[in-house]
Amino acid sequence: MRDDLAACLTSLERHGGPGVEMVVVDNASTDGSADQVARTQPGAMLVRNPENEGFARACNRGAGAAIAPYLL
């Protein structure tokens, strides 16, 4: 999953254009994904949940942290 996330963020960064905001919510993963995002994607906002709160809560947390007018 960590490699898929890295590829996705790299693609968004490359093809997203101006005004694209990347928000990544790490739901207490154990594979080093959050650290990799912090290291390799300084433009992404990283939200680290201390425990796995479930998919819906993590999505809502990311949406709440975003400031862009549209959400994908």
Side-chain angles (χ1 to χ4, degrees):
M1 295 294 277
R2 180 181 58 200
D3 294 337
D4 293 334
L5 174 61
C8 177
L9 294 176
T10 298
S11 181
L12 283 172
E13 187 175 59
R14 185 175 297 137
H15 303 291
V20 170
E21 176 187 23
M22 293 187 291
V23 179
V24 177
V25 178
D26 183 76
N27 221 7
S29 65
T30 58
D31 67 351
S33 294
D35 292 334
Q36 179 174 333
V37 170
R39 230 182 10 262
T40 62
Q41 297 292 333
M45 179 187 306
L46 176 62
V47 178
R48 294 179 190 242
N49 284 342
E51 61 185 17
N52 187 329
E53 298 180 344
F55 180 75
R57 276 199 172 162
C59 288
N60 288 335
R61 188 176 299 273
I67 59 172
Y70 301 104
L71 180 66
L72 169 66

